[in-house]
Amino acid sequence: MKKLLKYNSCNILISDNLFNELDYNFNILKDKKILIITNKLIASLYLNKLKKLFYSVTNYLEHIIIPDGEKYKTMTTVNNVILILLKKNYDSNSIIISFGGGVISDISGFIASIYKRGISIIHIPTTLLAQVDACIGNKNSINHKYGKNMIGTFYEPKLIIIGLNFLNTLSKKEIYSGLSEIIKYSIIMDKNFFFWIEKNLKNLISLKLKFLYQCVITCCKLKINIINKNKIDNISRILLNLGHTFGHAIEKYTNYNYWSHGSAVAVGIIIATYISLNLNIIKVEYAKLIRSLIIKAKLPILGPKNINVNDYINIIKHDKKNNMNGINLVLPISIGTAKIFYNVDKKIIIKSILDSKQDLLSKL
């Protein structure tokens, strides 16, 4: 199975097994100096196979292994990689290949966008979350002590290569994490997709190829539809942040340990749904459907036990969507539709966080 999608000038190759796609034209790499950025686990599993695939078009292929995890998505890691690029005299025609999950994609894209005012980047995402979300959309970012993804750029990759075979070595926790972003797409954009996920959830969790293939293609198309229309963070694109305001707060509060991005976003979606309930903009039946699907996807609906309301409020004050007038949030208003709400009443936010902690939807 193979599918080629396109957004702007970037091709997205979706394959059931990347290493079988020898007929794809990789001439973009021809006679280029290439640095693969990856992590220890991916390198041990797949790096030699990837190099073998690309040696047919280039002889200058090096790699660097960086620590994986949100807590390493920092300027320190960026500087360490740039020092290597400079010492080895990578020129402006060189190519960086990100080979890993969302953290590797973010760091690599950010480095490519600033090194010598921009060099080419190719993404090869190896997690479900990265394949359906992180690698698509031109966003590259690193974290700051005041919050997640506070420093970043918009920079379009030359190519995205999605190999579904990489998902076979993921832990169940990583699969569940990816499902969170998939569910997010359905809530904000596609009611039919929501119920398709609900119907086929067991097939997705067990990595049945036919269903994975359809799911990844659908997510890519949904995001491409937004990216092709919206270059920067305008209203349509901001909808992709459903659940991320509170999800990022959880990640920041726990110092990017223990909580996966997808798990944190799942709780964020639940809190956003309670805010919608308290604003009377979503029906209880829809809110219960959202909660039910998140639970079926083996994702949490309750945040860390020790995070309190003030912790949430203090962190979300720094959210990128905010302005001088107050806290702005993406909220679901039905299955398949979400909207941005500006200057949301802090009292409503506080009540909704408390409601979510008590899991009030289970009693309705």
Side-chain angles (χ1 to χ4, degrees):
M1 286 186 279
K2 182 171 69 174
K3 182 78 171 179
L4 194 64
L5 303 176
K6 190 178 184 68
Y7 77 92
N8 297 333
S9 60
C10 174
N11 284 331
I12 303 176
L13 173 65
I14 303 172
S15 167
D16 61 332
N17 192 330
L18 167 64
F19 303 122
N20 291 339
E21 299 302 336
L22 298 177
D23 60 330
Y24 184 77
N25 184 358
F26 290 115
N27 278 339
I28 186 176
L29 306 176
K30 190 172 178 62
D31 300 325
K32 298 290 176 63
K33 216 170 177 179
I34 296 166
L35 179 69
I36 300 170
I37 300 177
T38 189
N39 62 42
K40 186 176 180 180
L41 177 60
I42 296 301
S44 68
L45 292 170
Y46 302 115
L47 186 58
N48 288 337
K49 288 184 178 181
L50 186 72
K51 284 187 172 183
K52 185 178 179 181
L53 181 67
F54 291 153
Y55 272 139
S56 60
V57 288
T58 182
N59 291 319
Y60 200 102
L61 195 59
E62 295 185 322
H63 74 272
I64 177 174
I65 294 174
I66 63 174
D68 197 24
E70 284 287 343
K71 63 182 178 181
Y72 298 110
K73 212 168 77 174
T74 63
M75 284 300 296
T76 299
T77 303
V78 169
N79 189 53
N80 290 341
V81 176
I82 287 177
L83 280 173
I84 291 171
L85 289 166
L86 290 170
K87 286 179 179 179
K88 297 201 171 187
N89 197 28
Y90 279 79
D91 59 29
S92 58
N93 291 315
S94 303
I95 297 175
I96 288 176
I97 296 178
S98 76
F99 189 34
V103 170
I104 297 293
S105 171
D106 260 354
I107 293 173
S108 302
F110 182 76
I111 291 167
S113 71
I114 63 173
Y115 181 72
K116 296 198 173 180
R117 297 197 178 101
I119 62 174
S120 295
I121 176 77
I122 293 172
H123 294 302
I124 306 180
T126 60
T127 65
L128 182 58
L129 191 149
Q131 291 183 355
V132 300
D133 189 71
C135 73
I136 305 169
N138 311 343
K139 282 185 174 183
N140 315 283
S141 54
I142 57 174
N143 301 329
H144 189 275
K145 69 177 182 179
Y146 283 110
K148 182 174 173 176
N149 296 341
M150 287 297 169
I151 304 167
T153 60
F154 284 89
Y155 197 65
E156 187 171 294
K158 293 294 182 183
L159 177 66
I160 297 169
I161 306 170
I162 296 175
L164 298 179
N165 53 302
F166 296 127
L167 304 182
N168 293 326
T169 49
L170 290 183
S171 67
K172 286 298 183 185
K173 182 179 178 181
E174 289 173 309
I175 297 296
Y176 303 147
S177 184
L179 287 172
S180 181
E181 293 286 358
I182 291 168
I183 291 169
K184 175 201 74 176
Y185 281 124
S186 71
I187 293 171
I188 64 175
M189 282 189 278
D190 194 327
K191 180 179 181 179
N192 291 332
F193 187 41
F194 182 93
F195 292 109
W196 182 90
I197 296 167
E198 189 177 54
K199 179 181 177 181
N200 295 291
L201 196 54
K202 289 183 179 179
N203 291 316
L204 294 174
I205 291 172
S206 59
L207 301 180
K208 295 289 179 62
L209 187 57
K210 172 185 172 182
F211 299 94
L212 269 180
Y213 188 71
Q214 183 175 342
C215 182
V216 171
I217 288 174
T218 300
C219 290
C220 289
K221 285 181 176 179
L222 287 171
K223 192 160 188 180
I224 288 169
N225 186 48
I226 286 182
I227 303 309
N228 277 342
K229 294 177 181 176
N230 312 292
K231 301 290 185 181
I232 309 293
D233 256 334
N234 61 17
I235 290 175
S236 296
R237 186 162 186 155
I238 292 175
L239 294 177
L240 294 167
N241 287 293
L242 174 66
H244 285 61
T245 298
F246 298 101
H248 287 174
I250 290 170
E251 291 180 275
K252 173 69 173 62
Y253 179 80
T254 56
N255 198 28
Y256 307 107
N257 285 317
Y258 312 114
W259 280 77
S260 70
H261 175 68
S263 292
V265 166
V267 174
I269 292 172
I270 292 293
I271 295 174
T273 302
Y274 275 103
I275 295 173
S276 294
L277 280 170
N278 286 319
L279 289 173
N280 296 312
I281 58 173
I282 193 171
K283 294 180 180 178
V284 172
E285 63 184 277
Y286 293 149
K288 293 179 80 170
L289 282 171
I290 291 170
R291 175 186 175 276
S292 174
L293 184 55
I294 287 174
I295 290 173
K296 288 177 182 176
K298 312 294 185 184
L299 288 159
I301 58 171
L302 302 174
K305 290 182 179 179
N306 55 343
I307 187 171
N308 61 44
V309 170
N310 288 332
D311 295 323
Y312 276 114
I313 297 298
N314 289 334
I315 297 173
I316 69 173
K317 283 179 181 177
H318 298 284
D319 188 76
K320 298 186 298 297
K321 295 183 294 301
N322 297 338
N323 54 31
M324 292 178 64
N325 294 322
I327 296 172
N328 303 326
L329 297 169
V330 178
L331 303 176
I333 58 176
S334 67
I335 304 297
T337 310
K339 288 179 64 176
I340 304 161
F341 289 80
Y342 298 93
N343 194 20
V344 179
D345 189 336
K346 193 160 74 171
K347 291 179 181 178
I348 293 288
I349 296 174
I350 290 171
K351 181 181 185 309
S352 301
I353 293 170
L354 293 173
D355 289 349
S356 72
K357 282 179 171 288
Q358 298 175 54
D359 192 19
L360 289 187
L361 270 172
S362 65
K363 299 159 189 167
L364 295 179

